Amino acid sequence: MRLITGGLATILATLALASSTFGAVNTNTNANTNTLAGTVGPGYTISMNKKTVKAGTYVITIHDLASIHDFHLTGSGVDKKTSVTGMGTTKWTVKLKTGTYHFVCDPHRTIMHGVLTVT
């Protein structure tokens, strides 16, 4: 019986240590981070993953999938864009205020545009 109790105590101690170690891995994540994602291309499309958000600071990840487009975001205090010839992923940190923000592909603005509303 002592052997079973000792073995059980060792197993429980190991599990307790492992769970505290794995729990520590996630303590640096911030669940309150505001994020948005925008995509331009590969065809003649441009979009954001949300149409309406609350005012605040956001990290916006832009996926530029075509060398003939850019992603240009403008609005109160914001004027950010990717390059037309560039491709890849870009991250911007912006403070969005209440109002309307527009995103367009500058070379194709008549057919590639959208609106983000901030409340």
Side-chain angles (χ1 to χ4, degrees):
M1 186 59 121
R2 278 187 155 176
L3 185 58
I4 293 173
T5 305
L8 186 56
T10 302
I11 291 170
L12 291 175
T14 302
L15 288 173
L17 179 61
S19 68
S20 66
T21 300
F22 290 123
V25 170
N26 292 326
T27 58
N28 291 329
T29 60
N30 183 355
N32 295 325
T33 300
N34 293 318
T35 60
L36 286 169
T39 304
V40 61
Y44 288 85
T45 61
I46 190 167
S47 64
M48 290 198 81
N49 66 326
K50 297 182 182 174
K51 301 286 186 200
T52 304
V53 297
K54 292 184 179 182
T57 301
Y58 287 80
V59 173
I60 303 175
T61 302
I62 303 298
H63 303 284
D64 190 337
L65 306 176
S67 61
I68 61 169
H69 302 307
D70 69 346
F71 192 106
H72 191 175
L73 177 67
T74 57
S76 181
V78 175
D79 188 356
K80 298 276 192 180
K81 65 181 170 178
T82 63
S83 72
V84 173
T85 58
M87 290 175 59
T89 300
T90 302
K91 288 191 178 192
W92 303 321
T93 299
V94 297
K95 185 171 185 174
L96 300 178
K97 301 174 185 175
T98 301
T100 302
Y101 291 77
H102 297 271
F103 53 94
V104 301
C105 167
D106 290 318
H108 308 106
R109 66 176 42 250
T110 59
I111 59 170
M112 296 177 65
H113 52 85
V115 174
L116 175 67
T117 302
V118 181
T119 60

